[in-house]
Amino acid sequence: MSIQFKTGVLALALLGSTALGAVTAKAADQEISWIYCGDTMDAVHQKYIKQWEEKNPGWKVTPEVVGWAQCQDKATTLAAAGTPVAMAYVGSRTLKEFAQNDLIVPVPMTDDEKKTYYPNIVDTVTFDDNQWGVPIAFSTKALYWNKDLFKQAGLDPETPPKTWAEEIEFAKTIKEKTGIAGYGLPAKTFDNTMHQFMHWVYTNNGKVIDGDKIVIDSPQVLAALQAYKDITPFSVEGATAYEQNEIRAIFLDGKVGMIQAGSGAATRLKETKVNWGVAPLPLGPEAKGEGTLLITDSLAIFKGSGVEEKAIEFAKFITSPGPQGEYELQGGAGLTPLRPSPMVDEFVKKDPYWKPFIDGITYGGPEPLFTDYKGFQNVIIEMVQSVVTGKAEPADALKKAASSLEEYK
């Protein structure tokens, strides 16, 4: 989603303000209105809302459950129209856009608060040396491999690739020996095409933007793009037709050797006959250690509700170690924990497949924050597609992307 209020979308938002304004018109001074993304309100959050209200007499938290496809747009439109909710669940990638359009307030964290998180998590909500949201959901990726296809191809079914070079070689071997795609590379015009590429960037110590400086045209990122070119012949045919969940479906059907996916794939794989394993993402030649893209969603506190300070207090409470840990680790939630804890250690001990998703955090990196996030996303997608379709060489595609990104920083 792109919040281009500076170029006219504000006028469009105002057209819808009469109907949408009714949502907040009835809000009292002692009410914290919350746009809550999902189909239903999570029972853990219901429990802790009640607990917080009991400890804060005179205050009421009023969540409005809005479907995933509409919730962020609704929060944006209300804010642009001057009738903001107090708090909304948003993708952290949009925080810079919201902040630079003066729609949200900072949510500063103390050093002690920052130390409770795994490394680099706070970076997903930080720019200009301040935090602009409180992380509430977190996901990472790992490598899944089909052990039966490995065995059919003459590979050790218990030994997944540890480097890009091995990953490409294994994909080639599977394709040549079995006729089945060795790797699933998604390159559809879809946001997770950008996400998937960023996993390769962060497994080779690369970066896209450093502060306000575009640094994507680097040896580290060029190597990632070259690896994309090298693995494409052994990947699922027609990569531009697939996004990551469609690639995952092919893996669940036993028709691809390796994919990178989130923890939700493990839950689904348990219901299939696929003989699978999960491991840390393979590393590029300049990697410092296991890495992954760190994707968070956050609670953003909107400017102008009149209850900003109390909304910050509640946002920090509902995402504090106790409530957040209970929310993340409930069965089937599919969220990577935001913080280390004895509870997480027990969780991993019970389900060891979680370990790679946590191990990648240390050298992981955030979704790059751009003033126009949608513009950034589209540039990366175009770059990836040009390489996997053979329309451009990696070095040329990278230089073009670097130039284009200057417009969106």
Side-chain angles (χ1 to χ4, degrees):
M1 180 183 64
S2 180
I3 313 173
Q4 292 294 304
F5 302 126
K6 296 176 182 176
T7 57
V9 173
L10 177 58
L12 179 61
L14 288 169
L15 293 176
S17 65
T18 303
L20 292 173
V23 175
T24 54
K26 63 180 181 180
D29 289 342
Q30 304 299 301
E31 180 180 76
I32 298 173
S33 50
W34 178 9
I35 287 187
Y36 186 99
C37 295
D39 299 321
T40 58
M41 187 79 182
D42 191 277
V44 172
H45 288 151
Q46 289 178 322
K47 168 185 169 181
Y48 284 103
I49 286 173
K50 183 177 179 181
Q51 186 181 113
W52 187 85
E53 288 174 341
E54 289 172 351
K55 293 180 178 179
N56 291 269
W59 285 91
K60 185 174 180 59
V61 178
T62 56
E64 180 187 2
V65 180
V66 181
W68 290 104
Q70 296 83 33
C71 67
Q72 193 157 290
D73 287 343
K74 186 165 188 176
T76 302
T77 304
L78 287 168
T83 55
V85 290
M87 184 173 76
Y89 187 118
V90 302
S92 300
R93 67 183 73 92
T94 63
L95 291 173
K96 185 173 182 179
E97 298 180 66
F98 279 125
Q100 293 195 337
N101 282 286
D102 200 29
L103 297 179
I104 59 175
V105 300
V107 189
M109 294 184 188
T110 66
D111 288 342
D112 286 342
E113 286 173 328
K114 293 176 186 178
K115 288 175 183 175
T116 67
Y117 292 91
Y118 280 114
N120 306 314
I121 301 297
V122 175
D123 290 346
T124 68
V125 298
T126 301
F127 70 94
D128 287 345
D129 298 321
N130 212 338
Q131 289 74 57
W132 295 88
V134 187
I136 191 170
F138 177 39
S139 69
T140 52
K141 295 290 190 292
L143 180 84
Y144 289 83
W145 81 98
N146 184 314
K147 294 183 178 182
D148 289 339
L149 285 178
F150 267 51
K151 188 173 182 178
Q152 290 174 35
L155 299 168
D156 181 352
E158 301 301 327
T159 305
K162 293 181 174 60
T163 66
W164 291 355
E166 289 181 346
E167 186 173 23
I168 294 165
E169 184 60 33
F170 288 9
K172 180 176 185 288
T173 300
I174 292 169
K175 178 75 171 181
E176 291 177 349
K177 296 291 180 65
T178 71
I180 295 174
Y183 184 75
L185 191 155
K188 195 173 187 175
T189 303
F190 211 79
D191 62 355
N192 55 48
T193 287
M194 178 276 297
H195 290 152
Q196 290 270 329
F197 183 70
M198 288 305 303
H199 293 294
W200 290 69
V201 171
Y202 287 134
T203 50
N204 198 40
N205 196 31
K207 273 188 175 182
V208 169
I209 188 170
D210 188 2
D212 282 331
K213 185 178 180 182
I214 302 298
V215 294
I216 192 172
D217 190 6
S218 68
Q220 293 86 355
V221 181
L222 178 58
L225 203 52
Q226 181 65 48
Y228 257 46
K229 178 182 178 179
D230 294 343
I231 206 168
T232 293
F234 318 118
S235 186
V236 172
E237 189 173 348
T240 57
Y242 299 100
E243 54 96 9
Q244 69 180 16
N245 289 339
E246 292 165 334
I247 291 289
R248 183 181 66 189
I250 298 172
F251 186 84
L252 293 174
D253 197 33
K255 301 299 183 183
V256 62
M258 296 174 286
I259 62 168
Q260 57 184 37
S263 59
T267 303
R268 291 168 174 82
L269 281 162
K270 290 178 180 180
E271 301 172 357
T272 72
K273 295 181 179 180
V274 175
N275 183 14
W276 59 280
V278 61
L281 295 175
L283 303 180
E286 296 192 46
K288 290 185 176 179
E290 294 169 10
T292 180
L293 171 63
L294 310 176
I295 301 178
T296 67
D297 291 331
S298 302
L299 296 178
I301 309 302
F302 282 82
K303 188 174 183 178
S305 71
V307 294
E308 289 92 336
E309 288 188 13
K310 206 65 176 177
I312 290 173
E313 179 186 312
F314 171 73
K316 288 190 173 185
F317 166 78
I318 201 72
T319 60
S320 62
Q324 183 67 27
E326 191 173 334
Y327 171 58
E328 291 167 341
L329 299 180
Q330 59 186 315
L335 298 174
T336 304
L338 285 163
R339 299 176 176 91
S341 72
M343 188 162 53
V344 170
D345 294 340
E346 285 299 313
F347 186 73
V348 174
K349 186 177 179 180
K350 180 182 176 182
D351 285 311
Y353 74 77
W354 269 102
K355 190 174 185 298
F357 295 98
I358 295 173
D359 288 349
I361 296 171
T362 302
Y363 291 100
E367 288 185 273
L369 295 179
F370 278 77
T371 301
D372 181 351
Y373 188 82
K374 188 77 170 181
F376 154 67
Q377 176 180 290
N378 289 341
V379 168
I380 299 300
I381 292 170
E382 181 183 352
M383 177 186 73
V384 167
Q385 289 178 338
S386 70
V387 169
V388 301
T389 59
K391 292 180 179 178
E393 289 299 314
D396 296 333
L398 190 58
K399 289 185 183 302
K400 180 181 178 182
S403 176
S404 298
L405 288 177
E406 292 289 343
E407 178 183 350
Y408 304 115
K409 65 182 182 179

